[in-house]
Amino acid sequence: MTTFVPTPTVPAPDIVRCAYMEIVVTDLVRSREFYVDVLGLHVTEEDESTIYLRSLEEFIHHNLVLRQGPVAAVAAFAYRVKSPADVDAAEAYYTELGCRVERRKEGFTKGVGDSVRVEDPLGFPYEFFYDVEHVERLTQRYDLYSAGELVRLDHFNQVTPDVPRGRKYLEDLGFRVSEDIQDADGVSYAVWMHRKQTVHDTALTGGNGPRMHHVAFATHEKHNIIQICDKMGALRISDRIERGPGRHGVSNAFYLYILDPDGHRIEIYTQDYYTGDPDNPTVTWDVHDNQRRDWWGNAVVPSWYSEASLVLDLDGNPQPVVVREEKSEMAVTVGADGFSYTRKDGDSDAQGFKLGAQL
């Protein structure tokens, strides 16, 4: 039985979007080669222990922080809020929830001012900030634009044992659901939730957690993703391609999953859809629909379900991982289980897939 996170009496902070992730890497030189030389993220500034990176269209200081450390993990999932008052609201909101809360007027990273970091009810290190240093937006720097250019930070994906608990908590925080995966018994396997007007700013994947499943950067077109695959092949690092390229059923986006030198998973993502209307329908997928994770019906590799990055508490220690008690998506869908389908009821004709009526 799910024990839901109580709804605070104070207002939630008004979150604009996912803004940056801070990850700990064990070899900063190798990580720089991967994120800068291979993926083409742009260095805002760096020193002997930390590198601040941004995507082409970003005007805030960074979208990704690489920090040298002893254990590969995630130190912060950071969200920008609408005003300085919303930083106050975040502090009050999580204080009422009884979470550990730390506030730094000078910020936790370079280029970001007054910020609140919390250990949230699911065990994740969340950050909320408004004040930020502006840097050059490189949108028209075509002299820098590469064939596989990463243009925006798109979303996070978090692994948590109890998806309904996380869903209700994030809905209280102001997130809206775009899509989810369930089965006929009502078991919830994953949910996609947004603040900006796209499919998601973060998603919850059911599994042992808290862990970080992936951080995703967007490209303009599908061919940018194909170029990244070609480049990784040419560099003889194609073994770092974990899954894809392909097209998702959920989100409809074109995707690629790759692994950095520490095993942190990065998704390259493009061409999902608009979700900004107040009556935007929630799309619910049957967990046994073979096209939910890959529209072409390609199988998901087991590592994609089982492996993820540790997350840190506010002291920099890895959070303990709790085992999921509900059925796992991998267990019920990987292999010839006799229950997954592309066409329902053995129909020899292709079934029509109506958006919003998958289950």
Side-chain angles (χ1 to χ4, degrees):
M1 181 69 67
T2 293
T3 302
F4 290 106
V5 176
T7 304
T9 60
V10 297
D14 190 349
I15 297 169
V16 175
R17 59 169 171 136
C18 63
Y20 81 86
M21 178 173 280
E22 180 183 352
I23 64 175
V24 178
V25 299
T26 59
D27 187 328
L28 195 61
V29 172
R30 288 186 67 207
S31 293
R32 191 189 195 282
E33 290 172 351
F34 180 81
Y35 286 101
V36 178
D37 299 340
V38 177
L39 293 185
L41 286 170
H42 301 275
V43 178
T44 302
E45 61 179 298
E46 59 186 319
D47 57 36
E48 66 281 356
S49 63
T50 312
I51 305 173
Y52 298 87
L53 302 171
R54 71 184 191 277
S55 53
L56 186 86
E57 296 180 354
E58 189 57 80
F59 70 91
I60 71 171
H61 188 267
H62 55 262
N63 296 131
L64 187 68
V65 179
L66 308 177
R67 178 164 56 82
Q68 178 78 38
V71 177
V74 176
F77 299 73
Y79 296 94
R80 194 162 195 213
V81 295
K82 195 170 185 179
S83 71
D86 288 297
V87 181
D88 298 331
E91 183 177 31
Y93 190 87
Y94 283 95
T95 298
E96 183 174 329
L97 280 175
C99 297
R100 182 177 174 188
V101 178
E102 184 175 342
R103 185 166 186 172
R104 293 185 186 176
K105 295 291 185 179
E106 73 282 8
F108 292 84
T109 63
K110 289 184 178 180
V112 175
D114 185 17
S115 308
V116 167
R117 281 194 181 181
V118 305
E119 294 172 13
D120 85 350
L122 307 183
F124 291 95
Y126 266 22
E127 177 179 318
F128 304 91
F129 70 94
Y130 173 77
D131 292 328
V132 69
E133 178 184 333
H134 286 202
V135 293
E136 180 187 5
R137 176 178 267 162
L138 301 173
T139 307
Q140 293 182 322
R141 289 296 306 274
Y142 295 109
D143 55 318
L144 301 178
Y145 190 93
S146 70
E149 192 69 37
L150 307 184
V151 295
R152 288 181 298 278
L153 174 68
D154 191 82
H155 63 264
F156 308 137
N157 188 304
Q158 306 169 231
V159 184
T160 189
D162 190 333
V163 173
R165 183 172 187 263
R167 175 176 179 158
K168 187 265 183 186
Y169 151 65
L170 287 175
E171 285 181 312
D172 284 348
L173 194 54
F175 286 80
R176 296 171 58 200
V177 175
S178 58
E179 307 202 21
D180 64 5
I181 296 175
Q182 300 181 24
D183 65 17
D185 297 324
V187 176
S188 183
Y189 296 88
V191 62
W192 285 255
M193 309 187 74
H194 66 94
R195 287 295 301 173
K196 65 182 186 306
Q197 297 177 345
T198 63
V199 171
H200 54 321
D201 286 272
T202 197
L204 300 178
T205 294
N208 302 340
R211 295 182 296 164
M212 186 274 285
H213 191 273
H214 64 264
V215 57
F217 287 88
T219 64
H220 281 145
E221 301 286 349
K222 297 186 290 293
H223 68 76
N224 303 121
I225 291 178
I226 294 169
Q227 163 62 19
I228 292 170
C229 294
D230 282 340
K231 185 175 183 178
M232 293 179 72
L235 294 171
R236 294 288 177 172
I237 55 171
S238 60
D239 59 319
R240 308 308 294 173
I241 298 174
E242 181 189 33
R243 182 178 164 215
R247 174 151 332 253
H248 283 309
V250 175
S251 82
N252 196 53
F254 203 78
Y255 72 86
L256 173 72
Y257 293 97
I258 57 180
L259 303 173
D260 84 354
D262 284 292
H264 295 304
R265 182 181 290 108
I266 313 298
E267 182 180 16
I268 317 299
Y269 180 97
T270 191
Q271 300 177 348
D272 60 356
Y273 60 88
Y274 168 79
T275 59
D277 283 16
D279 57 348
N280 183 72
T282 297
V283 179
T284 294
W285 292 80
D286 184 343
V287 72
H288 295 295
D289 187 335
N290 284 328
Q291 295 184 232
R292 74 201 182 284
R293 291 290 188 182
D294 184 281
W295 185 243
W296 307 334
N298 291 320
V300 180
V301 294
S303 63
W304 192 90
Y305 285 120
S306 61
E307 296 178 12
S309 298
L310 296 172
V311 301
L312 303 180
D313 63 21
L314 297 188
D315 294 320
N317 302 310
Q319 290 278 31
V321 175
V322 178
V323 174
R324 175 176 166 89
E325 296 181 357
E326 293 263 36
K327 292 181 287 186
S328 75
E329 186 175 351
M330 180 173 71
V332 302
T333 60
V334 173
D337 58 12
F339 294 100
S340 296
Y341 65 85
T342 298
R343 299 184 182 93
K344 285 186 176 180
D345 303 322
D347 192 341
S348 61
D349 297 325
Q351 295 289 313
F353 285 87
K354 182 179 178 182
L355 193 65
Q358 274 87 351
L359 185 61

